[in-house]
Amino acid sequence: MKKSILEVNDLKVNFSTYAGKVQAVRNVSFEVFSGETLAIVGESGSGKSVTSQAIMQLLPVPPAIYEGGEILFEGRDLLKLSDRQMEKVRGNEISMIFQDPMTSLNPTMKIGKQITEVMIKHHKISRSEADKRALELMELVGIPMPEKRLKQYPHEFSGGMRQRVVIAIALAANPKLLIADEPTTALDVTIQAQILEVMKEIQKEMETAVIFITHDLGVVANVADRVAVMYAGEIVEIGTVEDIFYNPQHPYTWGLLGSMPDLTADKSQKLRTIPGSPPDLTHPPAGDAFAARNPHAMKIDYEKNPPMFKVSETHYAKTWRLHPDAPKTEIPEIIKERYNQYRQTKEGDSIV
Amino acid sequence: MISYIAKRLVYILIAMWLIITATFFLMRLAPGNPFASERALPPAIQESLNAQYGLDNPWYVQYKDYLINSAKGDFGTSMKYKYRETNDMIAESFPVSMTLGLEAMFIAVAFGVLIGTIAALFHNKWPDYLMTILAVLGISIPSFVMATILQYYLALQLNLFPIAGWKGFAYSILPAVALASTPMAFIAKLTRSSMLEETNSEYVKMAKAKGISKPVIVFKHALRNALLPVVTYLAPLTAGVVTGSFVIEKIFSIPGLGKHFVTSITNRDYTVIMGTTVFYAVILLLAVLIVDILYSFIDPRIQLRGGKSND
């Protein structure tokens, strides 16, 4: 029933630095189906932003090197397109929402022009038509007094309003895929909720597929249909929101879920963290990259990189503990407690 | 806007007073006087000359007279060239210097910005290296060397331009190029570095994500933001170039204002020193004001305000 619009296969992206080659994205594969929201979560430096920018080919080459793999967008390999062909994809079929609305708008260009520019470029429509459509978009993303606002400059907008403008620009050409790279990270919490609301509504209305990059699991629970967990340049677990939140398999996912702040916990309880730090990706470890930080690590975790094991039709995880011969490790007690809490809060709607 | 300009004009008046005062005292501190020559003048003549120009008055009276005359815009007759009004000397030579200066400005800004932008567009590729080499040459070759090279090759060898003189447009090309070479190179470097900074910014990345092509990003998005430092440099450049260059005018024998700045000082020609200094200061201060107004047109975030209260 679901049609896949984006298929990333074995994507490898390296960066050449003075210290050596940094393997930022290592054999990442995933699919995005039309109309769904895929969240990519992971800590800083896990390769989630690089993956998204690789899809748009926004990484400057050099230092970035597309080492291998393919990015199939509706069957076409984007990595093989020329610059000219890629320009027709960017902003038109795939568009992007950036993290910081304070810097992502051109300070010396009127908002209206920044919105219409995309439509004039890709849809070859007249200026007056573009203006009319810009007005509609401004209303869609919830900016009051759009006629007046279109003639203003970015510095006359607040952060939340600017992010709405950025969303309007991203939607201007009716893209099939929208990549949101931490769109709420730079905003304060109340504005975050508003922006997420706007994005959800728009997705419902326009049936755009969304790749939502974030490190905020609360946001994930709120917006995503499926979740990919990234660690050290690899996807370690991928599945539906329910799979990831109620039946996580990878120890790193346990760690992430365990370290979410919990408002219901009593005050004596300390915030849990994952001990250690991610590996140096100039020399990634031979085995499971998470092994050094994993309290449940086995010998094989240090020696051999695990393949993706199938948990269910929608759920895959990259850990040796799913191997049929592996000893059964129990899911930590704390994580179990969390599920029960999630289940309870789920009844009361959202997890956030 | 209007109250802002009014406020700035008041500042200009204060600055002018400071400049006139400083010039007056510096002038008096320098030894010698306008009437000194190899042949010593008889004391009686010296005294009558001093009396004629008011140089026998105590310094505060002279200072007061200067202030009043400067405010009226009347700088008196030259002490060296009898019967020549300072104002006439400026009025005669300034149009020549200004024509030359504006031509040089046009060359410097147009080519400087273009070269800088191309260098940034091809960052770390051969056009960038070529432009950088040209810019370094432009900055390091002094204008008089540039002038003689141009005269020798383009005028003497190839006979494309007249060597020197001031009899029409063709005569102005070589001196304008010689005058423009250093500021042009400087503007090119300035544009290149600020353009590179802009092209690494988030909004340029976003413009790229919108599917806009690179040349359009550079010229429509980044250039306007990159021009602010260049515009800042324009104020002192205008004042310096428009009021004439002693060296270039000498080499091309152009009857411009530049020579008066130098000769009036060696002659201790007090009235002409004061006239040229005040004139230069007025041009500089007006250029700075115009640049500040230009800012607000280039960058909408900069707003000109008369007072501090209306925030």
Side-chain angles (χ1 to χ4, degrees), chain B residues 143-196:
Chain B
S143 60
F144 58 88
V145 176
M146 185 59 100
T148 39
I149 289 174
L150 290 174
Q151 275 182 326
Y152 182 74
Y153 287 104
L154 296 183
L156 196 64
Q157 299 276 349
L158 296 174
N159 229 343
L160 292 174
F161 301 99
I163 292 182
W166 189 255
K167 294 185 205 100
F169 179 69
Y171 289 82
S172 70
I173 294 171
L174 286 192
V177 171
L179 199 56
S181 66
T182 301
M184 179 183 79
F186 196 81
I187 289 176
K189 291 288 272 179
L190 216 56
T191 309
R192 177 183 174 272
S193 60
S194 85
M195 185 62 103
L196 282 180

Side-chain angles (χ1 to χ4, degrees), chain A residues 2-178:
Chain A
K2 274 186 194 163
K3 197 169 102 241
S4 141
I5 63 163
L6 181 82
E7 206 181 320
V8 175
N9 293 324
D10 274 326
L11 180 69
K12 278 182 220 162
V13 181
N14 294 349
F15 285 90
S16 56
T17 65
Y18 290 112
K21 239 188 218 176
V22 178
Q23 304 180 20
V25 173
R26 306 189 290 150
N27 296 354
V28 161
S29 304
F30 62 89
E31 260 181 301
V32 182
F33 300 105
S34 61
E36 75 160 357
T37 300
L38 171 74
I40 302 182
V41 295
E43 60 198 274
S44 304
S46 59
K48 50 194 196 309
S49 281
V50 175
T51 306
S52 69
Q53 293 192 14
I55 297 169
M56 289 287 267
Q57 285 180 51
L58 288 178
L59 298 169
V61 182
I65 309 158
Y66 294 100
E67 194 81 11
E70 49 183 17
I71 299 171
L72 299 172
F73 179 72
E74 298 188 314
R76 265 188 310 170
D77 189 354
L78 297 184
L79 291 177
K80 292 204 178 73
L81 294 187
S82 68
D83 283 355
R84 192 52 69 73
Q85 289 169 314
M86 199 57 215
E87 271 166 25
K88 290 197 183 116
V89 175
R90 285 192 206 115
N92 186 18
E93 296 180 89
I94 309 178
S95 65
M96 193 155 179
I97 299 171
F98 286 83
Q99 181 172 350
D100 187 359
M102 303 316 270
T103 55
S104 55
L105 292 169
N106 183 348
T108 58
M109 195 185 264
K110 284 182 181 149
I111 291 298
K113 201 171 171 213
Q114 299 197 42
I115 299 177
T116 53
E117 191 183 36
V118 191
M119 298 181 264
I120 292 167
K121 159 93 191 179
H122 294 296
H123 290 176
K124 312 269 177 288
I125 56 175
S126 71
R127 180 149 293 281
S128 61
E129 278 176 81
D131 285 340
K132 230 173 78 193
R133 174 102 176 89
L135 216 61
E136 290 168 18
L137 282 166
M138 294 278 272
E139 270 163 15
L140 183 69
V141 295
I143 295 175
M145 291 184 290
E147 292 94 346
K148 188 182 146 216
R149 295 299 237 166
L150 280 174
K151 294 190 189 75
Q152 291 183 327
Y153 289 96
H155 71 277
E156 295 167 88
F157 286 66
S158 67
M161 283 296 156
R162 284 192 208 191
Q163 195 61 307
R164 285 169 199 257
V165 172
V166 173
I167 294 173
I169 292 173
L171 294 172
N174 283 326
K176 291 170 190 144
L177 175 63
L178 185 63

